[in-house]
Amino acid sequence: MHRLKGESDLALADFDRAIILSPQYTFALMERGDTYQARNQYDRAIADYDRVLAIQPSHATARQRREAAVALRQAGPGSGPKVDVGTPPPPPRPAQAPPAPRPDNST
């Protein structure tokens, strides 16, 4: 939950506790690796992905993320994926009042 809110320090502390309690918990290892990768701490991310692969050698996602971390580490600082959030939409227009009724000229 903390990782999704951008609270990576709290997320890492939670994952560390989970891994201490259950060293084979691949979900926590993957999430911690993802958090390290998001922080450009590629060596730590790779170490966590390696632990997942030692526990579960057929874990395709761990293998893919490990390869991505290795490539990013080799590319150097600032070479991580760029996220294009686009241009924010314009603010909404103020509501317009309905047109005034027309006078009835039939009388």
Side-chain angles (χ1 to χ4, degrees):
M1 182 65 96
H2 292 296
R3 188 168 76 88
L4 298 176
K5 292 196 243 178
E7 299 168 340
S8 62
D9 290 335
L10 294 173
L12 288 171
D14 286 348
F15 299 137
D16 288 343
R17 280 190 292 276
I19 294 163
I20 288 168
L21 293 172
S22 181
Q24 305 277 322
Y25 189 25
T26 58
F27 177 81
L29 287 163
M30 287 294 296
E31 290 293 312
R32 188 173 73 175
D34 293 346
T35 304
Y36 282 138
Q37 186 161 333
R39 292 169 60 137
N40 300 328
Q41 294 176 315
Y42 302 118
D43 291 332
R44 289 180 171 195
I46 292 165
D48 279 346
Y49 300 140
D50 284 343
R51 282 184 64 185
V52 171
L53 291 168
I55 297 164
Q56 191 177 358
S58 63
H59 199 296
T61 304
R63 190 167 311 285
Q64 291 167 350
R65 291 185 184 165
R66 183 190 189 286
E67 290 170 4
V70 169
L72 289 168
R73 180 182 64 186
Q74 291 173 345
S79 61
K82 304 293 186 263
V83 179
D84 180 12
V85 294
T87 305
R93 292 183 185 184
Q96 295 180 345
R102 295 181 181 208
D104 186 8
N105 293 334
S106 63
T107 56

